[in-house]
Amino acid sequence: MTNETNDANFIALLTLGDMRLLNIKVPEHLADDPDDAVLGLPRSAALILAERILTIWEVPQGDIAVFLANIADEALSNLLVIYQLLQVLFPRNNSSKYVHTNNKNYDGRTTWQAIQDGESLKIRKYLEHKSLGGGW
Protein backbone atom coordinates (compact mmCIF):
# COMPACT_ATOMS: atom_id res chain seq x y z
CA MET A 1 0.00 0.00 0.00
CA THR A 2 1.18 3.49 -0.73
CA ASN A 3 -0.10 7.02 -0.39
CA GLU A 4 2.18 8.09 -3.22
CA THR A 5 -0.01 7.60 -6.25
CA ASN A 6 2.77 8.66 -8.60
CA ASP A 7 5.26 6.15 -7.16
CA ALA A 8 6.64 4.38 -10.27
CA ASN A 9 6.72 1.02 -8.49
CA PHE A 10 3.04 0.99 -7.55
CA ILE A 11 -0.25 1.22 -9.37
CA ALA A 12 -2.83 3.08 -7.29
CA LEU A 13 -6.22 1.48 -6.86
CA LEU A 14 -8.96 2.62 -4.50
CA THR A 15 -8.68 4.55 -1.28
CA LEU A 16 -9.45 2.55 1.82
CA GLY A 17 -12.42 4.85 2.38
CA ASP A 18 -13.85 3.98 -1.04
CA MET A 19 -13.32 0.31 -0.31
CA ARG A 20 -15.19 0.67 2.97
CA LEU A 21 -18.06 2.54 1.27
CA LEU A 22 -18.33 -0.19 -1.36
CA ASN A 23 -18.23 -2.89 1.31
CA ILE A 24 -15.01 -4.31 -0.13
CA LYS A 25 -12.97 -6.01 2.54
CA VAL A 26 -9.93 -3.95 3.48
CA PRO A 27 -6.86 -6.14 4.08
CA GLU A 28 -6.63 -6.92 7.79
CA HIS A 29 -3.21 -5.34 8.23
CA LEU A 30 -4.64 -2.05 6.87
CA ALA A 31 -7.85 -2.07 8.92
CA ASP A 32 -6.76 0.83 11.14
CA ASP A 33 -5.31 2.97 8.33
CA PRO A 34 -7.13 6.22 7.45
CA ASP A 35 -9.75 6.46 4.72
CA ASP A 36 -7.51 8.54 2.46
CA ALA A 37 -4.78 5.88 2.31
CA VAL A 38 -4.49 4.45 -1.20
CA LEU A 39 -4.26 0.73 -1.84
CA GLY A 40 -1.67 -0.02 -4.49
CA LEU A 41 -0.04 -2.96 -6.22
CA PRO A 42 3.44 -3.34 -7.64
CA ARG A 43 3.23 -2.74 -11.40
CA SER A 44 4.31 -6.31 -12.18
CA ALA A 45 1.48 -7.73 -10.04
CA ALA A 46 -1.00 -5.25 -11.53
CA LEU A 47 -0.09 -6.44 -15.05
CA ILE A 48 -0.63 -10.08 -14.07
CA LEU A 49 -3.99 -9.19 -12.54
CA ALA A 50 -4.97 -7.14 -15.60
CA GLU A 51 -4.22 -10.09 -17.87
CA ARG A 52 -6.42 -12.31 -15.71
CA ILE A 53 -9.23 -9.74 -15.75
CA LEU A 54 -9.12 -9.43 -19.53
CA THR A 55 -9.20 -13.22 -19.78
CA ILE A 56 -12.24 -13.32 -17.46
CA TRP A 57 -13.83 -10.70 -19.71
CA GLU A 58 -13.22 -13.06 -22.65
CA VAL A 59 -11.01 -10.61 -24.53
CA PRO A 60 -9.09 -12.46 -27.29
CA GLN A 61 -5.54 -13.35 -26.23
CA GLY A 62 -3.99 -11.40 -29.10
CA ASP A 63 -5.87 -8.27 -28.05
CA ILE A 64 -4.76 -8.73 -24.45
CA ALA A 65 -1.08 -8.85 -25.38
CA VAL A 66 -1.33 -5.79 -27.62
CA PHE A 67 -3.33 -3.81 -25.08
CA LEU A 68 -1.02 -4.53 -22.14
CA ALA A 69 2.25 -4.15 -24.09
CA ASN A 70 2.66 -0.43 -23.41
CA ILE A 71 -0.20 0.34 -21.04
CA ALA A 72 0.21 3.57 -19.05
CA ASP A 73 -0.02 3.43 -15.27
CA GLU A 74 -3.26 5.42 -15.20
CA ALA A 75 -4.95 3.14 -17.73
CA LEU A 76 -3.75 0.08 -15.80
CA SER A 77 -5.12 1.52 -12.56
CA ASN A 78 -8.42 2.36 -14.25
CA LEU A 79 -8.77 -1.15 -15.68
CA LEU A 80 -8.27 -2.74 -12.25
CA VAL A 81 -10.73 -0.38 -10.60
CA ILE A 82 -13.30 -0.85 -13.40
CA TYR A 83 -13.16 -4.59 -12.74
CA GLN A 84 -13.70 -4.10 -9.01
CA LEU A 85 -16.57 -1.66 -9.56
CA LEU A 86 -18.27 -4.09 -11.92
CA GLN A 87 -17.96 -6.77 -9.24
CA VAL A 88 -19.72 -4.43 -6.81
CA LEU A 89 -22.44 -3.39 -9.26
CA PHE A 90 -23.06 -6.87 -10.68
CA PRO A 91 -22.07 -9.34 -7.95
CA ARG A 92 -24.09 -12.24 -9.37
CA ASN A 93 -23.63 -11.57 -13.06
CA ASN A 94 -20.79 -12.23 -15.42
CA SER A 95 -19.08 -8.87 -15.90
CA SER A 96 -17.91 -9.91 -19.38
CA LYS A 97 -21.50 -9.44 -20.56
CA TYR A 98 -21.37 -5.78 -19.51
CA VAL A 99 -17.94 -5.35 -21.07
CA HIS A 100 -19.09 -6.69 -24.45
CA THR A 101 -22.54 -5.08 -24.65
CA ASN A 102 -23.05 -1.87 -26.60
CA ASN A 103 -23.64 0.98 -24.19
CA LYS A 104 -25.23 4.36 -24.89
CA ASN A 105 -22.94 5.92 -22.26
CA TYR A 106 -19.97 5.04 -24.45
CA ASP A 107 -21.49 6.31 -27.71
CA GLY A 108 -22.93 2.90 -28.57
CA ARG A 109 -19.58 1.15 -28.25
CA THR A 110 -18.90 -1.68 -25.86
CA THR A 111 -17.05 -0.98 -22.65
CA TRP A 112 -14.07 -2.92 -24.01
CA GLN A 113 -14.05 -0.82 -27.21
CA ALA A 114 -14.12 2.38 -25.14
CA ILE A 115 -11.23 1.09 -22.99
CA GLN A 116 -9.26 0.26 -26.12
CA ASP A 117 -9.99 3.76 -27.42
CA GLY A 118 -8.26 5.22 -24.34
CA GLU A 119 -11.40 6.12 -22.40
CA SER A 120 -10.80 4.02 -19.28
CA LEU A 121 -10.94 7.10 -17.04
CA LYS A 122 -14.37 8.03 -18.45
CA ILE A 123 -15.63 4.50 -17.75
CA ARG A 124 -14.11 4.47 -14.28
CA LYS A 125 -15.75 7.80 -13.42
CA TYR A 126 -19.11 6.61 -14.74
CA LEU A 127 -18.97 3.40 -12.71
CA GLU A 128 -17.73 5.26 -9.62
CA HIS A 129 -20.74 7.55 -9.93
CA LYS A 130 -23.05 4.56 -10.25
CA SER A 131 -21.55 2.78 -7.25
CA LEU A 132 -20.38 5.61 -4.96
CA GLY A 133 -22.54 8.48 -6.12
CA GLY A 134 -25.88 6.87 -5.52
CA GLY A 135 -26.65 6.26 -9.18
CA TRP A 136 -28.11 2.82 -8.52
Side-chain angles (χ1 to χ4, degrees):
M1 189 202 61
T2 179
N3 283 326
E4 298 296 322
T5 58
N6 53 356
D7 181 339
N9 296 318
F10 283 88
I11 301 301
L13 301 176
L14 295 167
T15 66
L16 298 183
D18 286 344
M19 291 176 69
R20 291 175 179 123
L21 283 172
L22 292 167
N23 203 26
I24 298 171
K25 185 175 177 165
V26 172
E28 191 173 314
H29 68 283
L30 303 175
D32 294 329
D33 284 16
D35 283 348
D36 64 346
V38 177
L39 184 67
L41 286 175
R43 182 173 171 79
S44 58
L47 285 168
I48 291 168
L49 183 56
E51 184 175 2
R52 289 181 184 163
I53 289 167
L54 294 174
T55 300
I56 289 168
W57 286 350
E58 301 174 2
V59 171
Q61 287 298 314
D63 290 350
I64 293 173
V66 169
F67 182 74
L68 294 178
N70 295 308
I71 191 169
D73 288 353
E74 181 182 21
L76 182 55
S77 172
N78 291 337
L79 180 77
L80 299 176
V81 173
I82 288 167
Y83 175 76
Q84 191 62 62
L85 293 170
L86 288 175
Q87 295 299 104
V88 168
L89 290 168
F90 306 110
R92 293 189 176 99
N93 295 320
N94 181 348
S95 58
S96 69
K97 289 179 184 176
Y98 180 86
V99 171
H100 293 292
T101 300
N102 293 345
N103 191 314
K104 67 179 180 165
N105 296 300
Y106 314 133
D107 303 320
R109 295 170 294 158
T110 68
T111 303
W112 173 236
Q113 289 169 330
I115 290 171
Q116 287 179 299
D117 290 343
E119 296 180 32
S120 61
L121 181 59
K122 176 182 177 179
I123 295 164
R124 176 181 177 163
K125 294 295 181 190
Y126 172 74
L127 294 173
E128 283 177 341
H129 172 72
K130 289 294 184 188
S131 58
L132 293 168
W136 57 305

